[in-house]
Amino acid sequence: MGRALKAFFVAGEPSGDRLGAALLDGLHEAGAEVEPHGIGGPLMAVAGLTSIFPYDELAVMGIAEVLPKYFHLKRRIAQTARAVAESRAEVLITIDSPDFCLRVAKLAREANPSLKTIHYVAPSVWAWRPKRADKMARVIDHVLALLPFEPPYMEAAGMSCDFVGHPVVAEPVPSPDDVAAFRAAHRIGAEDKLLLVLPGSRRSEIARLAPIFGEALRRVPARLVLPTLPHLVGAVEQATAGWSQNPTILNPTDPAEKRAAFAAADVALAASGTVSLELAAGGTPMVIAYDMNWLTRVIVKRAIRVDTVTLVNLVSDTRAVPEFLAEKCRPGPIRAALDGLLQGGGAEQRAAMELTMERLGRGGPAPGLRAAQSVLSFLNR
């Protein structure tokens, strides 16, 4: 048996935890023996990682949201960089959360110039702040891209890059029996409309979006189901307490139950983010809505280079998914779009979602395995 690869991982939010877990599983499937260190969530823990501190401390988004936690995050950056050195890792694999991860990479590389660095999730330089790729190239050697059109942007900045797809395309698709069982378990009739509510995976997002979502869903002719994460149940219960219709709050410990909920839904109202791909995997038509602190809103509005931020729209090269962002994130327009979908207007979206899954690699090798093969190929150069 060969020597174990010492690898340090940094993942700071649920989407990064999923990517990291898929990568660790892929490395094992590829026959690599890995000694994992670092920061991650519950899925990476199952794959063998013991996090040095709770990973959700890093799930902070937006300029104004970060400022109050600046000094705490700065201490965590220094602590993480020290942990990289103490682990004697041969490679640092940072996953998304670039504001935190790239600072860690810079300090870790200064302490060990021979440290190899890989970043999983290419920065969306095609959408805004194109110079981020050049900044990343100062501390990152190799990039694992989720979207097929991203590698040329990374290579132009001087990094190697492979398109590896998104783990969502490898997840099992619930069967009609799974969907029926989910509805029966929650006493939702086969003819009843089920509306999935997804107000984000960060406390700040939930607090900001819940009042808008609650107003948009007032007396909606559908059962509301709101899947969330264990550490957010209290925040969700508090944020939805004043809604006219109490949602069924799910805290699924089994990923299959969450997938069944997504597939069982007729329509979804979701915050912007990778959740649009999870909905697309289940074939669920959606409305995307998102707002942010006013300062972040002003900065992003000036920097944005695309007319949509929804991944289904971008990958399918359509604008099939309606989105209501920033000042457009208001209950009235959101409700009108939901009503259109509840009345059967989702055919265009379903075609766009099917094309998205195809372009992201559904039917091919699992993205986690592709990512692992890319990592091993890079390390063996």
Side-chain angles (χ1 to χ4, degrees):
M1 184 177 292
R3 181 179 56 85
L5 171 68
K6 290 185 178 182
F8 196 102
F9 296 82
V10 181
E13 53 188 306
S15 59
D17 185 39
R18 287 194 296 273
L19 291 168
L23 173 56
L24 278 167
D25 290 342
L27 286 166
H28 295 145
E29 185 179 348
E33 187 178 349
V34 182
E35 183 184 311
H37 303 266
I39 302 163
L43 299 179
M44 293 180 75
V46 171
L49 179 77
T50 300
S51 189
I52 62 174
F53 59 78
Y55 85 127
D56 60 341
E57 288 187 22
L58 309 185
V60 183
M61 187 175 185
I63 311 297
E65 290 83 357
V66 167
L67 289 176
K69 299 184 177 182
Y70 173 77
F71 291 107
H72 176 71
L73 288 171
K74 193 171 181 180
R75 286 192 295 272
R76 287 302 200 194
I77 289 166
Q79 176 190 353
T80 304
R82 286 195 302 272
V84 175
E86 290 166 2
S87 72
R88 298 187 177 182
E90 301 159 66
V91 59
L92 169 64
I93 302 175
T94 52
I95 306 172
D96 214 355
S97 306
D99 290 334
F100 184 91
C101 286
L102 297 188
R103 286 172 171 82
V104 170
K106 179 176 183 294
L107 292 178
R109 179 62 73 72
E110 287 173 354
N112 178 10
S114 66
L115 178 70
K116 293 182 172 65
T117 54
I118 298 173
H119 191 71
Y120 198 167
V121 183
S124 49
V125 295
W126 38 267
W128 69 307
R129 289 172 56 199
K131 292 183 179 178
R132 283 179 294 164
D134 297 328
K135 181 180 178 182
M136 178 180 281
R138 297 173 196 161
V139 295
I140 296 296
D141 301 314
H142 184 64
V143 180
L144 307 175
L146 303 186
L147 305 176
F149 51 79
E150 291 178 320
Y153 293 95
M154 302 300 101
E155 290 162 356
M159 297 170 283
S160 57
C161 181
D162 290 325
F163 163 61
V164 298
H166 196 291
V168 72
V169 303
E171 293 180 356
V173 176
S175 69
D177 288 345
D178 295 329
V179 169
F182 176 85
R183 282 179 168 263
H186 296 281
R187 298 179 182 179
I188 303 169
E191 302 303 318
D192 294 336
K193 294 291 186 182
L194 193 167
L195 197 155
L196 207 63
V197 188
L198 299 152
S201 59
R202 302 177 178 91
R203 288 183 174 84
S204 59
E205 291 174 331
I206 293 166
R208 182 167 291 112
L209 295 176
I212 299 169
F213 282 19
E215 184 63 29
L217 296 169
R218 186 178 294 275
R219 291 186 293 276
V220 68
R223 281 283 303 276
L224 304 183
V225 172
L226 198 162
T228 190
L229 297 163
H231 65 283
L232 294 175
V233 171
V236 167
E237 290 175 342
Q238 182 178 356
T240 61
W243 287 16
S244 65
Q245 181 182 159
N246 291 328
T248 298
I249 297 173
L250 292 185
N251 176 18
T253 54
D254 181 0
E257 184 183 6
K258 180 182 176 182
R259 289 192 293 268
F262 275 51
D266 296 285
V267 179
L269 171 59
S272 177
T274 56
V275 71
S276 70
L277 294 183
E278 295 181 74
L279 292 166
T284 304
M286 70 195 85
V287 173
I288 298 296
Y290 197 80
D291 200 4
M292 59 209 81
N293 180 281
W294 71 269
L295 176 59
T296 306
R297 186 195 292 178
V298 169
I299 293 170
V300 170
K301 192 172 183 179
R302 289 181 178 177
I304 198 80
R305 303 172 72 198
V306 290
D307 64 346
T308 180
V309 299
T310 300
L311 290 172
V312 172
N313 288 341
L314 289 163
V315 176
S316 67
D317 197 22
T318 70
R319 298 299 179 264
V321 176
E323 59 181 20
F324 301 91
L325 310 177
E327 67 274 2
K328 295 180 181 178
C329 182
R330 295 295 174 262
I334 292 170
R335 177 57 179 269
L338 287 171
D339 285 341
L341 293 177
L342 285 167
Q343 292 163 16
E348 183 184 1
Q349 276 202 47
R350 289 190 178 91
M353 290 187 287
E354 187 173 341
L355 179 59
T356 297
M357 292 298 104
E358 179 186 324
R359 289 181 174 174
L360 290 183
R362 177 176 275 177
L369 177 59
R370 291 174 64 175
Q373 290 168 338
S374 176
V375 167
L376 296 173
S377 175
F378 165 73
L379 293 177
N380 288 330
R381 286 174 194 167

